[in-house]
Amino acid sequence: MNKSDFFYDLPESLIAQHPLEPRDSSRLMVLSKESTEIEHKHFYDICDYLKAGDCLILNNTRVLPARIYGTKNGTGAVVEFLLLKQIETNVWETLAGPGKRAKEGTEFTFGGGILTAKVEGVLDNGNRIIRFIYDKNDNIFNILDKIGEMPLPHYITEELQDKERYQTVYSKELGSAAAPTAGLHFTNEILEKLKAKGVNIGYVTLHVGLGTFRPVKAERIEDHLMHSEHYFLPQETADLINRTKKNGGRVIAVGTTSCRTLESCATFRGEICEDERMTDIFIYPGYSFKCIDGLLTNFHLPESTLIMLVSAFYGYNKTLFAYKTAVEEKYRFFSFGDAMLIV
């Protein structure tokens, strides 16, 4: 298939610039795997579509406030750094912009002096290796909480007033460069209501990389080089999934990240069991799903690997029709947008 097969027209006005309050007031498009039926609901209605014995699998990763602004020592020029990967305790691979101001050996000051840094190297892809220096009684994560900003996607131009609104209410494991956005709709009250109904909740961790926003450049999607991300599937969650399957319940992935975690484990290990590894699994039409029975997800960018994954699960023609319907019905799109449930 071609990248252009996954294009759709989206008015800019439908790109959500801020999260709704409360979280569960977003809209929910409910789709049937067995038919073309489409229902228009709100997220707080989700309990009506899940049954006792089903299980939801949530990604409990937590987003790092990884965007920081430094002033170049000597000139005062401002450079934006985005922390990508921790190499040592105080050494990180980063994006820097403008890069010409962050040459090897250059030093920077952040947050009025609570953090300083030196560029120790420039990688072939242009990323910078940065060594940070700070008070020995502090740590980089506390400092980022004080001076860092959330690495919101480029299509969100409004300032985020509350950093916690780009975190799920169940976020726990720090390490993502972006939020698992399907989970942003959940409130603690919704989760408790689901548990009271007999719906089981399990957790995996997949740290979302910036590669999730990388455009597909190859015209033939089979030629696209997928980014790699780290995941952990604990034994407790594996046991829950296997028990759910054995008892005839449905395994519903909350978000494409949970889906990729479960399908990666089932593909690499041949079963669902405790597993930890890097995955570059690329799911597009023709893929045979090995674990999930349902999918909750937001509306994704045209020609992205994420809409390709949804098409693989729900069907290509049905997916494009659902997106066309969402545009006509003025759903809100992307990270802070509305959701769809496919069961």
Side-chain angles (χ1 to χ4, degrees):
M1 299 185 76
N2 293 329
K3 174 181 71 172
S4 55
D5 293 332
F6 297 89
F7 179 80
Y8 65 92
D9 283 311
L10 179 68
E12 190 173 335
S13 61
L14 296 184
I15 299 175
Q17 292 296 315
H18 58 272
L20 293 181
E21 293 294 346
R23 289 174 181 258
D24 62 358
S25 62
S26 53
R27 296 171 72 188
L28 180 68
M29 178 183 282
V30 182
L31 306 171
S32 168
K33 287 197 301 179
E34 308 304 326
S35 71
T36 57
E37 181 182 2
I38 297 178
E39 294 183 76
H40 303 290
K41 299 290 183 176
H42 286 87
F43 195 82
Y44 49 71
D45 297 315
I46 192 170
C47 299
D48 297 337
Y49 294 91
L50 301 179
K51 307 170 185 176
D54 289 342
C55 75
L56 282 178
I57 303 300
L58 312 178
N59 181 6
N60 65 3
T61 188
R62 186 166 174 83
V63 185
L64 192 68
R67 179 172 280 125
I68 56 177
Y69 295 88
T71 53
K72 185 175 178 180
N73 294 0
T75 69
V78 176
V79 175
E80 174 188 319
F81 291 89
L82 186 61
L83 280 63
L84 300 178
K85 183 169 66 174
Q86 189 174 26
I87 299 171
E88 299 174 19
T89 301
N90 60 337
V91 179
W92 289 71
E93 180 180 344
T94 71
L95 285 174
K100 62 183 179 181
R101 293 179 179 171
K103 296 178 181 177
E104 188 170 349
T106 311
E107 297 181 348
F108 293 87
T109 300
F110 305 82
I114 65 171
L115 181 68
T116 60
K118 182 177 181 179
V119 181
E120 292 204 332
V122 180
L123 302 179
D124 291 341
N125 60 7
N127 292 352
R128 268 59 178 172
I129 301 299
I130 304 292
R131 181 175 294 275
F132 291 106
I133 302 168
Y134 44 85
D135 189 302
K136 64 180 181 180
N137 295 317
D138 209 340
N139 68 67
I140 189 66
F141 300 107
N142 285 336
I143 293 170
L144 289 174
D145 271 339
K146 296 173 185 174
I147 68 172
E149 296 180 4
M150 284 299 179
L152 296 179
H154 62 86
Y155 48 75
I156 296 177
T157 57
E158 289 187 11
E159 184 178 350
L160 182 63
Q161 299 300 318
D162 178 5
K163 286 195 283 192
E164 281 302 308
R165 287 302 276 110
Y166 197 55
Q167 306 278 17
T168 63
V169 297
Y170 48 81
S171 65
K172 181 181 178 183
E173 303 295 338
L174 196 61
S176 270
T181 55
L184 295 178
H185 307 280
F186 283 95
T187 63
N188 287 317
E189 290 75 18
I190 288 284
L191 290 171
E192 290 304 315
K193 189 176 178 181
L194 286 167
K195 291 176 186 176
K197 189 174 182 177
V199 177
N200 297 301
I201 309 292
Y203 296 94
V204 297
T205 304
L206 182 141
H207 291 316
V208 188
L210 287 179
T212 193
F213 300 115
R214 185 185 302 156
V216 176
K217 295 182 178 179
E219 183 53 32
R220 290 180 69 253
I221 64 173
E222 295 87 350
D223 296 333
H224 174 65
L225 183 62
M226 194 68 176
H227 61 286
S228 186
E229 294 167 320
H230 176 268
Y231 75 78
F232 173 58
L233 194 164
Q235 187 62 48
E236 181 181 10
T237 301
D239 291 343
L240 171 61
I241 291 169
N242 290 325
R243 188 166 62 248
T244 299
K245 292 281 192 181
K246 181 180 179 180
N247 295 334
R250 298 174 300 176
V251 175
I252 297 163
V254 175
T256 56
T257 58
S258 295
C259 170
R260 293 181 70 240
T261 298
L262 299 181
E263 293 299 320
S264 293
C265 179
T267 298
F268 299 143
R269 298 293 298 271
E271 61 178 338
I272 295 297
C273 56
E274 182 170 318
D275 195 31
E276 183 172 13
R277 69 179 70 226
M278 300 295 292
T279 180
D280 60 357
I281 192 170
F282 183 14
I283 298 174
Y284 54 87
Y287 175 84
S288 178
F289 284 83
K290 302 166 183 63
C291 180
I292 73 167
D293 305 299
L295 177 66
L296 175 72
T297 187
N298 280 19
F299 293 92
H300 304 293
L301 276 72
E303 300 184 338
S304 65
T305 60
L306 305 181
I307 192 175
M308 294 172 191
L309 183 154
V310 175
S311 298
F313 185 70
Y314 181 53
Y316 171 76
N317 291 325
K318 289 166 69 177
T319 299
L320 269 290
F321 181 74
Y323 270 69
K324 180 176 180 291
T325 302
V327 170
E328 292 171 351
E329 296 290 331
K330 293 184 168 47
Y331 276 69
R332 301 167 77 249
F333 279 68
F334 306 160
S335 294
F336 286 143
D338 298 316
M340 62 163 59
L341 174 67
I342 308 169
V343 288

